[in-house]
Amino acid sequence: MIFCPLYSGSSGNSIYVSSNYASILIDAGLTGKSIESALSSIKKDPNKIDGIFITHEHSDHIKGVGVLSRRYNIPIYANELTWKSMEKSIGKIKEENKRVIDKSGVNIKDMQICSYSIPHDAVDPVGYTISCGKNKVSIATDLGYFSKEVEESIKNSDVILLESNHDVEMVKFGPYPYPLKRRILSDVGHLSNYDCGKAIVNMTQNGCKRIVLGHLSKINNYPELAYETVVSVLREEGIKVNKDVFIGMAKRDMPSNYIEF
């Protein structure tokens, strides 16, 4: 399998995952041109994308999905409530490319894609696990908190893209209006650096060895702070980075952490 976040952050999100025979995107939250450029930079052909799977209807996850679907005749997969919420925003889509899915999952060639519920302020937000044989990739961003369902769904993954969105103190004393601060810090907002670290402690006990931190806030975080906070939490629990677990950092503005396994 191949895993590569094309973009990951509050400005837009899209993740490329492929197996021997299938290639998909999780979300397309930037312009079609931006995603085309990112795919080109990792030498992947958008004509060979078998589907785009949507986590939820917020613009940083769906901005380019309509353009890509129309341009390359790509099916779009989302649950029923998400489809209803995003349909007017993404433009006209061919009927055969409107794929409504549920938690039972879907198979594309040699790849199995399953969804699970996440705590976020959207109509029916989900994360995804992508499996091929014994290999498994999980996408877990936009988490108000690290729920039991999230933990159970992503355990035993080879690679997890896990949200490390913000530093709590930066949110509290930052420029955002109070209602937005309250939303970010709520149980349907985003996962903080510290809580991300605590989640990774659980993940190392559930068989995961490689975590990529993603969906960082542009205003309330920066990569060095996210990384150091997470590493500090792991050290407190006696977990050694680069031995017990490998930590990477997804970039907001270019492909990163290209992993083949």
Side-chain angles (χ1 to χ4, degrees):
M1 294 184 75
I2 294 171
F3 161 89
C4 183
L6 303 178
Y7 302 96
S8 183
S10 54
S11 304
N13 300 272
S14 188
I15 302 102
Y16 174 86
V17 182
S18 69
S19 59
N20 286 333
Y21 301 106
S23 300
I24 65 169
L25 296 178
I26 305 295
D27 290 329
L30 293 95
T31 64
K33 184 177 181 180
S34 295
I35 294 173
E36 289 169 343
S37 175
L39 288 169
S40 176
S41 74
I42 61 170
K43 297 179 171 56
K44 302 301 177 184
D45 184 353
N47 286 291
K48 295 182 179 179
I49 298 294
D50 295 296
I52 305 173
F53 288 76
I54 303 301
T55 58
H56 61 291
E57 72 276 11
H58 292 166
S59 62
D60 59 325
H61 295 263
I62 67 167
K63 185 175 183 179
V65 67
V67 170
L68 291 172
S69 178
R70 288 185 289 275
R71 188 169 293 165
Y72 300 104
N73 196 33
I74 304 173
I76 302 171
Y77 294 82
N79 61 44
E80 185 174 4
L81 290 177
T82 299
W83 257 116
K84 288 180 179 178
S85 183
M86 74 176 182
E87 198 158 11
K88 290 182 179 178
S89 301
I90 65 174
K92 188 173 179 59
I93 304 297
K94 289 182 179 179
E95 285 301 319
E96 62 265 30
N97 285 335
K98 296 179 182 179
R99 307 290 177 89
V100 178
I101 58 172
D102 56 29
K103 289 185 179 179
S104 63
V106 61
N107 292 323
I108 298 179
K109 299 175 182 175
D110 61 341
M111 183 184 287
Q112 181 180 37
I113 304 98
C114 295
S115 65
Y116 59 90
S117 293
I118 59 173
H120 193 55
D121 57 351
V123 292
D124 192 9
V126 298
Y128 287 102
T129 63
I130 305 100
S131 302
C132 179
K134 295 181 178 179
N135 294 330
K136 179 179 178 182
V137 169
S138 294
I139 312 300
T141 65
D142 298 80
L143 309 175
Y145 66 98
F146 192 66
S147 68
K148 287 294 182 183
E149 181 171 353
V150 173
E151 181 177 359
E152 184 65 26
S153 298
I154 69 177
K155 69 181 182 181
N156 298 319
S157 296
D158 296 281
V159 185
I160 300 172
L161 179 66
L162 182 63
E163 179 169 62
S164 189
N165 178 258
H166 62 272
D167 175 80
V168 171
E169 295 304 308
M170 286 183 73
V171 174
K172 288 181 177 178
F173 297 102
Y176 284 175
Y178 177 73
L180 182 53
K181 293 180 180 183
R182 187 174 179 180
R183 171 194 173 253
I184 292 168
L185 298 173
S186 75
D187 282 350
V188 291
H190 291 279
L191 202 66
S192 72
N193 297 332
Y194 178 82
D195 288 338
C196 175
K198 286 295 187 181
I200 294 173
V201 171
N202 291 335
M203 288 296 92
T204 59
Q205 297 167 353
N206 285 329
C208 187
K209 296 294 184 182
R210 189 179 293 274
I211 311 285
V212 178
L213 309 182
H215 209 296
L216 273 68
S217 169
K218 187 176 182 179
I219 303 297
N220 298 305
N221 209 356
Y222 51 93
E224 296 83 2
L225 177 60
Y227 183 84
E228 288 303 326
T229 302
V230 166
V231 169
S232 177
V233 172
L234 297 179
R235 286 197 192 113
E236 289 175 359
E237 298 292 336
I239 296 170
K240 297 179 180 179
V241 175
N242 297 326
K243 182 179 179 181
D244 300 321
V245 64
F246 294 88
I247 305 294
M249 180 72 64
K251 295 183 179 181
R252 70 169 48 254
D253 56 356
M254 67 177 69
S256 58
N257 289 272
Y258 185 103
I259 300 169
E260 188 168 358
F261 58 97

